[in-house]
Amino acid sequence: MASKPLGFYQRLQQLPLHAQQAFMAALCERLLPNYALYAQTTGHGDVHTLRAVLDLVWEHLSVRGANIDFARQAEKLAESVPPEDDDSFGARRALDAVVSISSILDTLQGEAPEAVLDVSRTSRAGVRAFIELTEGEEDAQTLALLIRDHPLTEDENNFQDAVLAAAAEPLDKNAIKAIRQLGRNDGISNLGLSLED
């Protein structure tokens, strides 16, 4: 009897740690424009810090033995969290980006077996929240169908599938570069937003 194919999250967890980190970094690239928009519209936060930390993650992934103080980077990230009293949609999506980059740093500093799942789910949850916000559907069942069939949901699922497929291949410098490019997604975030809008 043929065994059932592994689900998305099982395949993700079976990736070697290096590949999981590349997967997370690509998703963080796509979360970054949300943070940048929040910082630009509110004056809170520092997108340059997030960019710099994420660049160091990519450097670590492509240059074996790159000596980076990830504990220090985690401290810098903590300073870029949106204000606690800001419960706006933008602040929550900006926080998604900070938390997701922090998750990668956790894996670089030691054990964080769930980190890759957390980043994947955080990105999907942001899409779901955005659809709920913009569609304003009262009925839970109708909303669930709307989310399932929404172009942004499809885009998110396709994106994560593509990154997983790329991360499952042997990862040399060029492969890492390609995953990074994939994550950049032409500057468009998982919510379909970009700074150029």
Side-chain angles (χ1 to χ4, degrees), residues 34-45:
N34 296 334
Y35 186 97
L37 279 167
Y38 171 77
Q40 190 183 56
T41 52
T42 65
H44 292 301

Side-chain angles (χ1 to χ4, degrees), residues 31-48 50-51 90 93-94 97 187 189 194-195:
L31 294 174
L32 210 52
N34 296 334
Y35 186 97
L37 279 167
Y38 171 77
Q40 190 183 56
T41 52
T42 65
H44 292 301
D46 178 11
V47 72
H48 300 295
L50 269 72
R51 176 74 271 159
R93 299 297 69 84
S189 81
S194 75
L195 274 178

Side-chain angles (χ1 to χ4, degrees), residues 28-120:
C28 289
E29 285 289 349
R30 236 170 67 118
L31 294 174
L32 210 52
N34 296 334
Y35 186 97
L37 279 167
Y38 171 77
Q40 190 183 56
T41 52
T42 65
H44 292 301
D46 178 11
V47 72
H48 300 295
T49 297
L50 269 72
R51 176 74 271 159
V53 174
L54 196 49
D55 285 347
L56 286 172
V57 168
W58 286 116
E59 185 185 329
H60 171 80
L61 289 170
S62 18
V63 183
R64 293 297 180 146
N67 192 13
I68 296 157
D69 181 355
F70 286 112
R72 175 74 194 105
Q73 300 311 316
E75 285 168 23
K76 286 187 196 170
L77 263 188
E79 292 161 17
S80 308
V81 170
E84 261 182 52
D85 58 355
D86 186 347
D87 194 33
S88 67
F89 181 82
R92 290 199 300 269
R93 299 297 69 84
L95 185 60
D96 286 348
V98 177
V99 168
S100 295
I101 297 174
S102 296
S103 292
I104 307 177
L105 296 185
D106 290 344
T107 68
L108 290 161
Q109 295 178 86
E111 281 295 301
E114 295 291 311
V116 72
L117 302 182
D118 292 341
V119 173
S120 171

Side-chain angles (χ1 to χ4, degrees), residues 129-180:
F130 185 69
I131 297 167
E132 285 175 11
L133 180 78
T134 52
E135 299 294 344
E137 180 54 60
E138 301 296 313
D139 172 22
Q141 201 171 0
T142 311
L143 182 62
L145 289 171
L146 202 76
I147 291 169
R148 190 194 69 192
D149 298 332
H150 199 281
L152 280 176
T153 305
E154 186 183 356
D155 184 53
E156 177 68 14
N157 292 339
N158 291 343
F159 174 76
Q160 290 207 24
D161 286 342
V163 177
L164 174 58
E169 296 298 319
L171 292 183
D172 59 14
K173 215 167 182 168
N174 287 338
I176 293 286
K177 209 172 176 176
I179 292 172
R180 186 177 191 174

